[in-house]
mmCIF file of all heavy atoms in Angstrom:
data_model
loop_
_atom_site.group_PDB
_atom_site.id
_atom_site.type_symbol
_atom_site.label_atom_id
_atom_site.label_comp_id
_atom_site.label_asym_id
_atom_site.label_seq_id
_atom_site.Cartn_x
_atom_site.Cartn_y
_atom_site.Cartn_z
ATOM 1 N N LEU P 306 -11.738 -26.521 -7.634
ATOM 2 C CA LEU P 306 -11.045 -25.287 -7.285
ATOM 3 C C LEU P 306 -10.077 -25.590 -6.172
ATOM 4 O O LEU P 306 -8.910 -25.081 -6.201
ATOM 5 C CB LEU P 306 -12.046 -24.223 -6.924
ATOM 6 C CG LEU P 306 -12.803 -23.551 -8.048
ATOM 7 C CD1 LEU P 306 -13.841 -22.595 -7.426
ATOM 8 C CD2 LEU P 306 -11.917 -22.875 -8.987
ATOM 9 N N GLY P 307 -10.516 -26.348 -5.148
ATOM 10 C CA GLY P 307 -9.623 -26.679 -4.028
ATOM 11 C C GLY P 307 -8.456 -27.539 -4.469
ATOM 12 O O GLY P 307 -7.329 -27.309 -4.126
ATOM 13 N N ALA P 308 -8.721 -28.531 -5.319
ATOM 14 C CA ALA P 308 -7.688 -29.397 -5.858
ATOM 15 C C ALA P 308 -6.729 -28.628 -6.673
ATOM 16 O O ALA P 308 -5.495 -28.807 -6.666
ATOM 17 C CB ALA P 308 -8.325 -30.486 -6.655
ATOM 18 N N ASN P 309 -7.234 -27.682 -7.475
ATOM 19 C CA ASN P 309 -6.325 -26.838 -8.287
ATOM 20 C C ASN P 309 -5.387 -25.964 -7.417
ATOM 21 O O ASN P 309 -4.202 -25.889 -7.684
ATOM 22 C CB ASN P 309 -7.197 -25.871 -9.205
ATOM 23 C CG ASN P 309 -6.363 -24.778 -9.873
ATOM 24 O OD1 ASN P 309 -5.585 -25.096 -10.805
ATOM 25 N ND2 ASN P 309 -6.436 -23.569 -9.380
ATOM 26 N N TYR P 310 -5.942 -25.414 -6.319
ATOM 27 C CA TYR P 310 -5.158 -24.586 -5.400
ATOM 28 C C TYR P 310 -4.024 -25.349 -4.764
ATOM 29 O O TYR P 310 -2.867 -24.969 -4.798
ATOM 30 C CB TYR P 310 -6.047 -23.963 -4.387
ATOM 31 C CG TYR P 310 -5.299 -23.180 -3.325
ATOM 32 C CD1 TYR P 310 -4.801 -21.911 -3.589
ATOM 33 C CD2 TYR P 310 -5.076 -23.738 -2.037
ATOM 34 C CE1 TYR P 310 -4.090 -21.217 -2.580
ATOM 35 C CE2 TYR P 310 -4.346 -22.994 -1.118
ATOM 36 C CZ TYR P 310 -3.888 -21.780 -1.381
ATOM 37 O OH TYR P 310 -3.133 -21.108 -0.436
ATOM 38 N N PHE P 311 -4.372 -26.526 -4.209
ATOM 39 C CA PHE P 311 -3.385 -27.347 -3.518
ATOM 40 C C PHE P 311 -2.320 -27.994 -4.464
ATOM 41 O O PHE P 311 -1.139 -28.024 -4.140
ATOM 42 C CB PHE P 311 -4.089 -28.425 -2.695
ATOM 43 C CG PHE P 311 -4.742 -27.910 -1.451
ATOM 44 C CD1 PHE P 311 -6.117 -27.889 -1.365
ATOM 45 C CD2 PHE P 311 -3.975 -27.461 -0.368
ATOM 46 C CE1 PHE P 311 -6.703 -27.422 -0.220
ATOM 47 C CE2 PHE P 311 -4.588 -26.947 0.754
ATOM 48 C CZ PHE P 311 -5.989 -26.927 0.854
ATOM 49 N N PHE P 312 -2.778 -28.349 -5.651
ATOM 50 C CA PHE P 312 -1.887 -28.953 -6.620
ATOM 51 C C PHE P 312 -0.811 -27.879 -7.137
ATOM 52 O O PHE P 312 0.310 -28.118 -7.217
ATOM 53 C CB PHE P 312 -2.649 -29.494 -7.797
ATOM 54 C CG PHE P 312 -1.805 -30.172 -8.870
ATOM 55 C CD1 PHE P 312 -1.208 -31.440 -8.611
ATOM 56 C CD2 PHE P 312 -1.551 -29.557 -10.095
ATOM 57 C CE1 PHE P 312 -0.393 -32.039 -9.536
ATOM 58 C CE2 PHE P 312 -0.760 -30.134 -11.012
ATOM 59 C CZ PHE P 312 -0.154 -31.388 -10.738
ATOM 60 N N MET P 313 -1.365 -26.661 -7.463
ATOM 61 C CA MET P 313 -0.442 -25.622 -7.870
ATOM 62 C C MET P 313 0.505 -25.199 -6.732
ATOM 63 O O MET P 313 1.697 -24.865 -6.980
ATOM 64 C CB MET P 313 -1.223 -24.357 -8.300
ATOM 65 C CG MET P 313 -2.109 -24.622 -9.586
ATOM 66 S SD MET P 313 -1.154 -25.116 -11.055
ATOM 67 C CE MET P 313 -0.257 -23.639 -11.396
ATOM 68 N N LYS P 314 0.007 -25.250 -5.506
ATOM 69 C CA LYS P 314 0.885 -24.878 -4.383
ATOM 70 C C LYS P 314 1.963 -25.945 -4.197
ATOM 71 O O LYS P 314 3.128 -25.620 -3.914
ATOM 72 C CB LYS P 314 0.062 -24.825 -3.109
ATOM 73 C CG LYS P 314 0.816 -24.167 -1.959
ATOM 74 C CD LYS P 314 -0.098 -23.941 -0.781
ATOM 75 C CE LYS P 314 0.619 -23.250 0.362
ATOM 76 N NZ LYS P 314 -0.287 -22.895 1.490
ATOM 77 N N MET P 315 1.600 -27.229 -4.393
ATOM 78 C CA MET P 315 2.638 -28.307 -4.259
ATOM 79 C C MET P 315 3.716 -28.144 -5.408
ATOM 80 O O MET P 315 4.898 -28.447 -5.180
ATOM 81 C CB MET P 315 1.917 -29.651 -4.413
ATOM 82 C CG MET P 315 1.112 -29.985 -3.137
ATOM 83 S SD MET P 315 0.131 -31.481 -3.416
ATOM 84 C CE MET P 315 1.404 -32.682 -3.808
ATOM 85 N N MET P 316 3.234 -27.702 -6.631
ATOM 86 C CA MET P 316 4.173 -27.613 -7.733
ATOM 87 C C MET P 316 5.231 -26.574 -7.476
ATOM 88 O O MET P 316 6.382 -26.639 -7.926
ATOM 89 C CB MET P 316 3.374 -27.306 -8.983
ATOM 90 C CG MET P 316 2.648 -28.526 -9.541
ATOM 91 S SD MET P 316 1.773 -28.119 -11.046
ATOM 92 C CE MET P 316 3.110 -27.716 -12.126
ATOM 93 N N VAL P 317 4.840 -25.438 -6.842
ATOM 94 C CA VAL P 317 5.821 -24.364 -6.637
ATOM 95 C C VAL P 317 6.515 -24.354 -5.309
ATOM 96 O O VAL P 317 7.278 -23.433 -5.016
ATOM 97 C CB VAL P 317 5.068 -23.005 -6.879
ATOM 98 C CG1 VAL P 317 4.510 -22.865 -8.229
ATOM 99 C CG2 VAL P 317 3.944 -22.764 -5.858
ATOM 100 N N ASN P 318 6.124 -25.285 -4.431
ATOM 101 C CA ASN P 318 6.758 -25.338 -3.104
ATOM 102 C C ASN P 318 8.031 -26.168 -3.178
ATOM 103 O O ASN P 318 8.083 -27.336 -2.831
ATOM 104 C CB ASN P 318 5.754 -26.012 -2.075
ATOM 105 C CG ASN P 318 6.249 -25.970 -0.689
ATOM 106 O OD1 ASN P 318 7.097 -25.110 -0.358
ATOM 107 N ND2 ASN P 318 5.756 -26.810 0.134
ATOM 108 N N ILE P 319 9.066 -25.499 -3.609
ATOM 109 C CA ILE P 319 10.399 -26.094 -3.780
ATOM 110 C C ILE P 319 11.272 -25.717 -2.606
ATOM 111 O O ILE P 319 11.495 -24.532 -2.290
ATOM 112 C CB ILE P 319 11.046 -25.656 -5.093
ATOM 113 C CG1 ILE P 319 10.127 -26.058 -6.264
ATOM 114 C CG2 ILE P 319 12.426 -26.295 -5.268
ATOM 115 C CD1 ILE P 319 10.658 -25.461 -7.570
ATOM 116 N N LYS P 320 11.735 -26.760 -1.885
ATOM 117 C CA LYS P 320 12.612 -26.512 -0.750
ATOM 118 C C LYS P 320 14.082 -26.163 -1.181
ATOM 119 O O LYS P 320 14.591 -26.904 -2.010
ATOM 120 C CB LYS P 320 12.626 -27.742 0.210
ATOM 121 C CG LYS P 320 11.272 -28.130 0.727
ATOM 122 C CD LYS P 320 10.702 -27.054 1.681
ATOM 123 C CE LYS P 320 9.373 -27.499 2.221
ATOM 124 N NZ LYS P 320 8.797 -26.410 3.132
#
Side-chain angles (χ1 to χ4, degrees):
L306 286 175
N309 170 73
Y310 174 78
F311 286 108
F312 182 73
M313 296 299 292
K314 191 172 183 179
M315 288 171 59
M316 287 180 63
V317 300
N318 187 23
I319 301 173
K320 300 295 183 181

